[in-house]
Amino acid sequence: MQFERQSGVFLHLTSLPGPHGIGDLGSGARAFVDFLDRADQSLWQFCPLGPTASIHGNSPYQSSSAFAGNPLLIDLRDLVDRGYLTADEVEPPGDFSQQQVNYDRVTEFTERRLRTAYENFDESAAEADRNAFAEFCEREAGWVDDYALFTALKTEFDDAGWMDWPDDIRTREPAAMERYQEELADDIRYHKFVQWCFDSQWEALAEYAAERDIGLVGDLPIYVGLDSADVWAYPEVFRLDDDHYPAEVAGVPPNPGDDGQRWGNPVYDWETLRANDYGWWVDRFERLFDLVDIARIDHFKGFDEFWSIPAEADDPAAGQWRDGPGAHFFETVRDRLGELPFFVEDLGFLDESIVALRDQFGFPGMRVPQYADWCEEGHMYQPMHYPESAVGYTSTHDTDTIVGYYRGLSDRQRDCLHYNLGTDGDEINWDLIEAVWNSNAVVAMTTMQDLLGLGSDARFNVPGTATGNWQWRVTDAALDADVAERLRRVTDRTIR
């Protein structure tokens, strides 16, 4: 077991306190690290960090890049300190909410100021900043060159998906690449500047957390968005046809009670990847571990086997199971990168082959009490039955809060829960936090919403819905010293 017995809190970056309508990498992030430090926590977990788009409901799981950072997370006040903006320019308007993110409003406000910051950087940046920017562009050229060109082209073509661009640039013909790189040179450089700002601010935040012995837990969606720099720049990595359109897309098959799901992400060409020692994936992991200490692999099942649907089919039932890369993939990556500090999302897919793959590499799986049958003796999602090789979560970004879940239980399940936990449910959030913390799971995680005892109105995401997600924020005042002290006592008592 490569992990120590420890615990932490999930809070996505967009949910942090801050003056500009969304969480950022500035003082609100440091305030949360201080909260974790007071609570004696050793882990901070969050969603993927990539750029998001309103067309995808601002989901961090549908990003335009598996490598880039989200520009909306940049701390504008830091750009004032650097001399790229004035204090007046970052004065927040009165209509920004401290409780909810209005992505359209935030995007409009932030992008204008990032453009101004870039212009001022271009005109008057100190030599040290210019050198740091140049060093970043050289060091990260493997992904930032394609991402910056891709993003500039999106603007050039009125935000159309790359599949609808002119054929020459859609298929990256050399003459077209050279022409657009020249025509869009300033816009390309702007997007590199934005990524440099994100990267330097992230490095400072990660150092602040490390000084307090708090590890950062990132998230790795197995698939990338179709309309992404990754698919456009690396068509050979995916199962595309000769014209670079998807031949097959990802999803899950029908199960009793549902019709399955067609996600639409292009699936990987694992044979080609294997022939190249999974080079694109190694690059992806290297970038991820430049940013975080541990990563949660979303949909781990896809590395064992994956449901592949013909692109022209709308019905998920038209798909078939295909073999994933399996152990060879993780062995190859481990040979290149060393130890692989992964948690894996294995919810709902616990067949023999995925368990064997997970356990071969010692990756802890996930256990969530909201999936428990409280009236079934020994049910695997009851905290008292978690194995050591597990990460126990009170709730996740995709589930209801504990309080919301509890309110929706049937009378019978609620009575069985009371019996199993020895509680009357008056503080059900702390009852379940204590149960998960007291379990054998090597890592215990809760959410900020659960620490505050919030109901379903504070839920972060409802899977399968396109609007109203990823908006909840915590306020400065809610990072309460009494809450931190109570979590510290639970952590001390359960030896985490």
Side-chain angles (χ1 to χ4, degrees), residues 76-88:
L76 298 178
R77 291 166 298 182
D78 174 63
L79 303 187
V80 175
D81 294 340
R82 298 191 197 194
Y84 308 151
L85 294 171
T86 68
D88 287 345

Side-chain angles (χ1 to χ4, degrees), residues 26-166:
S27 60
R30 285 167 175 74
F32 183 63
V33 171
D34 293 341
F35 172 87
L36 294 174
D37 192 28
R38 288 195 302 272
D40 203 19
Q41 301 307 293
S42 55
L43 297 173
W44 173 12
Q45 183 173 346
F46 35 81
C47 293
L49 299 170
T52 60
S54 58
I55 193 172
H56 299 303
N58 303 293
S59 170
Y61 294 89
Q62 286 287 343
S63 178
S64 60
S65 173
F67 294 80
N70 189 343
L72 301 183
L73 298 176
I74 291 173
D75 175 21
L76 298 178
R77 291 166 298 182
D78 174 63
L79 303 187
V80 175
D81 294 340
R82 298 191 197 194
Y84 308 151
L85 294 171
T86 68
D88 287 345
E89 285 171 327
V90 302
E91 185 66 28
D95 61 346
F96 273 163
S97 168
Q98 299 299 310
Q99 288 82 34
Q100 296 281 321
V101 181
N102 180 332
Y103 281 94
D104 290 341
R105 183 77 182 87
V106 165
T107 300
E108 177 188 20
F109 180 89
T110 303
E111 286 186 350
R112 285 185 183 178
R113 280 135 189 92
L114 291 176
R115 288 280 180 182
T116 301
Y118 168 66
E119 292 165 4
N120 291 330
F121 167 85
D122 233 15
E123 292 174 3
S124 59
E127 185 177 357
D129 277 2
R130 292 186 186 277
N131 290 341
F133 175 50
E135 192 276 331
F136 167 80
C137 292
E138 182 178 352
R139 184 183 75 239
E140 304 298 337
W143 64 268
V144 79
D145 287 355
D146 283 316
Y147 167 77
L149 174 58
F150 174 87
T151 310
L153 286 164
K154 289 281 286 183
T155 302
E156 176 74 5
F157 298 123
D158 298 323
D159 209 35
W162 69 264
M163 303 78 65
D164 298 320
W165 294 352

Side-chain angles (χ1 to χ4, degrees), residues 264-284:
N265 308 73
V267 298
Y268 295 101
D269 185 337
W270 285 114
E271 291 181 9
T272 297
L273 279 161
R274 179 171 180 148
N276 292 290
D277 291 329
Y278 309 105
W280 179 85
W281 272 98
V282 171
D283 290 345
R284 187 182 181 188

Side-chain angles (χ1 to χ4, degrees), residues 280-353:
W280 179 85
W281 272 98
V282 171
D283 290 345
R284 187 182 181 188
F285 285 142
E286 284 186 324
R287 171 62 177 166
L288 180 64
F289 288 120
D290 279 345
L291 302 175
V292 303
D293 304 296
I294 299 167
R296 186 198 77 120
I297 299 179
D298 196 40
H299 193 60
F300 181 67
K301 173 69 172 175
F303 289 103
D304 174 42
E305 57 179 356
F306 59 97
W307 190 250
S308 186
I309 305 166
E312 67 273 11
D314 293 327
D315 185 357
Q320 60 178 311
W321 286 111
R322 294 187 179 275
D323 289 337
H328 184 266
F329 172 79
F330 292 105
E331 288 167 350
T332 304
V333 173
R334 186 176 59 190
D335 287 345
R336 291 283 300 277
L337 302 181
E339 280 301 316
L340 302 177
F342 289 131
F343 304 158
V344 299
E345 186 271 302
D346 54 354
L347 301 168
F349 292 110
L350 285 175
D351 54 38
E352 286 186 15
S353 58

Side-chain angles (χ1 to χ4, degrees), residues 11 21 103 167 246-247 288 338 353 366-367 432 437 455 480:
L11 183 71
Y103 281 94
D167 284 349
L288 180 64
S353 58
M366 290 176 61
R367 299 292 173 100
L432 271 172
W437 256 240
D480 184 82

